[in-house]
Amino acid sequence: MLKLFNTLSRSKEVFTPIEDGKVRMYCCGPTVYNFQHIGNFRTFIFEDILRRTLDYNGFDVTHVMNITDVGHLVSDEDTGEDKMELSAKKTGKSVWDVSRFYTAEFLKDSSELNIISPTFLPKATDYIQDQIEMVKSLEIKGFTYKTSDGIYYDTSKIEDYGKLAKLDIKGLSKGHRVEFNSEKKNATDFALWKFSPENSNRQMEWESPWGKGFPGWHIECSAMSKKLLGDHFDILCGGIDHIPVHHSNELAQSEISNGEKFVNYWIHGEFLLLNEEKMSKSTGDFLTLKVLKNRGFTAMDYRYFLLNAHYKKKLKFSMEAMEGAKAGLANLKGKLNKITPENPDNTSNEIIEFYRDKFLEKINDDLNMPEALAVAWELIKDESIEPWIRRATLLDLDKVLGLRLGEIDEAEVIPEEITSLANERLEAKKNKDFKRSDELRNTIKEKGYSVLDNASGFEIKKL
Ligand code: AMP
Ligand code: ZN
């Protein structure tokens, strides 16, 4: 039985899909004006664990992640420049090139991090007409008003606006959580359609019943989820920063436009912190996967680092913690890959199911990744189980962990030349030719490896 913490009810709930055996899930994706940092990927990996957990439980999952390539302004509210247009201006590229470049980078990193591709990956700019239709439906129902810079949603028209974030609407004075916009009727009102500025040209703009312009940031998710998943679906997720603004607004638009409950389970992941603060693109203080790789870590080392924390807890990033994760993963893979993969006849499913159930119990308890990982460790160390059964079971659990445990990294394969030098060194030591053995140790080191003596001869490690 899968239980998930639902932000809407602020409690852990048993997950029951709308349609038996099927799950429809929407994840708010990246704004492609810059590289996605490893903080963003903390959210995408928690969503990937959720996706994999649903798959592992046997659900047929339709998973949508959007690419935001228009409308997300510098402030999460409706002020400032469009992040995409600003990035294009800074780099001298077209906004479409910026979008293509960062989308490709995002997909490359996602694939290295072993994030399963969503069923649909819609771009906001491919669904402009659907967004216009949704704004029209809100207008017909009387929930919009016009200002000099756009069409806005009047949040005072719905009783329960802010129910997701438990916003104190009365306490939010006009302009309190937004940069001041004197034409807004209420502090929480938000743009559905923004007009192109009269005195400057935007690269991305479209005709609409209200004039030339571009959609507000939130309407894309409401329109694309409606198109791809229907009016009412199971899960919507993202990072916790989406709760008070983006998700509260998606909910408000969709429930009025669709005329029914929007989403059953709202799942949010906590932040990755750098120097005690949220890792953030806007402050510029962020690390990418590429930086980690330049420091000698693999994408899987980062994934393993994340699995050691519950997705609902803040997580501090540090290179020391990454070192620990790297060693932990190498150890786990080392134990697994020592076992030869061939599968003799006398396998017993009983034991596999015992660990599989134990693992499921943890991961189904609101994705308790650290405890699920602990089960994987317990299993690999359990010498009462035949090694090949341990191996097969751990590889099965890895369908959820996504650590590519069965793959041996190129870097882990010690070149023959190094092994033969190490053998030569061992011979020299046996012959008490310590000068030669020291020389060989240095040659091995120069080639990027260290050799350690142990009871069975030696162990070689990549430096
Ligand atoms: P963005 O590209 O800014 O729209 O962000 C993409 C996703 O990353 C959103 O779900 C954010 O909530 C999430 N996110 C942003 N910063 C962090 C962080 N430091 N830690 C975890 N998730 C984050
Ligand atoms: Zn969204």
Side-chain angles (χ1 to χ4, degrees):
M1 191 173 38
L2 173 60
K3 286 192 221 127
L4 295 171
F5 187 91
N6 189 349
T7 305
L8 194 59
S9 65
R10 299 288 192 278
S11 65
K12 230 190 263 182
E13 294 177 18
V14 172
F15 176 73
T16 316
I18 298 167
E19 221 181 313
D20 227 12
K22 295 193 173 165
V23 178
R24 283 170 287 147
M25 162 163 114
Y26 188 98
C27 302
C28 290
T31 308
V32 285
Y33 71 102
N34 199 338
F35 292 103
Q36 289 294 297
H37 56 64
I38 56 171
N40 300 128
F41 278 110
R42 179 179 191 204
T43 294
F44 301 136
I45 287 175
F46 119 69
E47 291 164 350
D48 183 59
I49 295 285
L50 173 56
R51 158 76 197 267
R52 287 168 177 271
T53 300
L54 292 164
D55 286 341
Y56 199 70
N57 277 276
F59 291 111
D60 174 7
V61 185
T62 308
H63 172 193
V64 178
M65 178 180 276
N66 64 299
I67 300 285
T68 298
D69 58 353
V70 68
H72 194 168
L73 303 190
V74 167
S75 126
D76 264 4
E77 309 289 342
D78 305 307
T79 54
E81 273 194 82
D82 185 319
K83 292 183 179 191
M84 298 292 304
E85 299 261 342
L86 189 62
S87 176
K89 234 186 254 172
K90 278 188 190 159
T91 56
K93 291 186 192 164
S94 87
V95 77
W96 302 99
D97 282 344
V98 168
S99 157
R100 255 191 301 274
F101 176 77
Y102 289 115
T103 303
E105 289 296 312
F106 164 67
L107 295 177
K108 202 168 80 191
D109 285 357
S110 298
S111 141
E112 274 195 53
L113 286 159
N114 205 14
I115 292 173
I116 297 180
S117 304
T119 325
F120 299 103
L121 196 74
K123 284 205 313 257
T125 50
D126 287 339
Y127 289 78
I128 297 296
Q129 203 47 45
D130 298 278
Q131 298 175 64
I132 291 175
E133 290 307 319
M134 191 171 254
V135 180
K136 275 207 269 186
S137 82
L138 293 169
E139 187 177 46
I140 290 164
K141 290 183 178 181
F143 284 80
T144 67
Y145 61 93
K146 187 173 170 182
T147 72
S148 60
D149 74 352
I151 304 295
Y152 281 76
Y153 188 105
D154 185 346
T155 54
S156 68
K157 292 258 169 94
I158 42 172
E159 291 260 298
D160 55 1
Y161 177 79
K163 64 185 171 189
L164 183 68
K166 310 237 178 292
L167 290 178
D168 172 15
I169 303 295
K170 289 205 184 88
L172 278 172
S173 58
K174 196 173 181 180
H176 172 78
R177 65 163 213 194
V178 296
E179 278 178 47
F180 196 64
N181 174 346
S182 60
E183 292 178 74
K184 270 194 194 182
K185 290 188 185 168
N186 310 286
T188 48
D189 292 354
F190 56 93
L192 295 165
W193 186 262
K194 292 271 282 191
F195 304 137
S196 292
E198 272 169 22
N199 43 7
S200 63
N201 276 347
R202 281 180 56 91
Q203 294 184 39
M204 284 180 169
E205 55 184 6
W206 296 265
E207 294 296 343
S208 83
W210 314 279
K212 202 179 267 180
F214 59 101
W217 171 34
H218 323 293
I219 196 79
E220 65 173 271
C221 294
S222 288
M224 294 192 289
S225 63
K226 180 184 176 76
K227 184 95 179 223
L228 298 166
L229 297 174
D231 290 349
H232 175 207
F233 57 92
D234 299 293
I235 299 177
L236 204 155
C237 34
I240 49 154
D241 51 339
H242 281 344
I243 302 170
V245 181
H246 185 54
H247 284 174
S248 289
N249 295 349
E250 285 175 7
L251 196 163
Q253 298 164 153
S254 291
E255 294 205 337
I256 294 302
S257 178
N258 299 346
E260 61 176 295
K261 185 172 182 179
F262 180 39
V263 165
N264 285 357
Y265 302 87
W266 294 81
I267 321 287
H268 293 99
E270 254 292 356
F271 290 144
L272 180 77
L273 307 182
L274 184 65
N275 308 325
E276 311 287 326
E277 306 258 348
K278 173 195 174 197
M279 188 176 284
S280 156
K281 270 182 280 196
S282 46
T283 62
D285 209 5
F286 67 82
L287 299 168
T288 57
L289 182 59
K290 193 168 171 196
V291 172
L292 292 192
K293 290 198 310 195
N294 289 342
R295 296 284 294 261
F297 299 109
T298 65
M300 288 304 100
D301 293 338
Y302 183 57
R303 196 170 166 111
Y304 188 89
F305 163 74
L306 294 179
L307 292 184
N308 280 288
H310 195 281
Y311 78 94
K312 289 202 73 65
K313 295 227 168 83
K314 287 188 175 50
L315 175 60
K316 287 186 194 167
F317 179 84
S318 72
M319 289 296 173
E320 295 72 48
M322 279 299 296
E323 292 289 354
K326 187 180 185 61
L329 178 61
N331 200 353
L332 185 61
K333 281 185 77 167
K335 286 193 188 328
L336 178 84
N337 289 309
K338 248 189 230 152
I339 302 168
T340 47
E342 71 268 14
N343 212 353
D345 296 336
N346 59 344
T347 51
S348 154
N349 285 328
E350 220 182 289
I351 292 169
I352 297 178
E353 271 161 25
F354 169 76
Y355 273 104
R356 182 194 261 225
D357 288 351
K358 203 166 172 183
F359 178 85
L360 255 181
E361 192 189 304
K362 303 296 182 193
I363 204 75
N364 278 354
D365 181 14
D366 194 29
L367 313 181
N368 196 331
M369 303 177 320
E371 288 192 16
L373 195 57
V375 175
W377 270 102
E378 200 186 317
L379 159 70
I380 203 68
K381 288 184 184 162
D382 187 345
E383 293 192 350
S384 70
I385 305 171
E386 297 290 359
W388 54 86
I389 298 178
R390 267 186 267 158
R391 182 182 162 89
T393 310
L394 186 50
L395 290 179
D396 188 64
L397 306 188
D398 196 36
K399 288 179 190 158
V400 176
L401 301 173
L403 290 168
R404 298 194 167 118
L405 293 176
E407 290 176 23
I408 299 170
D409 299 338
E410 279 298 306
E412 285 173 28
V413 182
I414 310 292
E416 276 221 24
E417 183 200 0
I418 305 294
T419 324
S420 105
L421 286 169
N423 273 316
E424 210 183 305
R425 178 178 166 271
L426 190 64
E427 268 315 292
K429 265 188 71 183
K430 275 186 195 153
N431 298 331
K432 303 215 179 325
D433 185 353
F434 297 115
K435 189 167 165 272
R436 177 77 186 133
S437 89
D438 283 350
E439 271 169 20
L440 285 161
R441 179 196 288 278
N442 285 338
T443 314
I444 292 169
K445 199 170 166 197
E446 277 160 20
K447 291 182 186 287
Y449 294 85
S450 71
V451 58
L452 307 164
D453 300 318
N454 65 18
S456 59
F458 56 80
E459 188 186 348
I460 304 171
K461 284 202 171 145
K462 196 160 170 45
L463 289 171

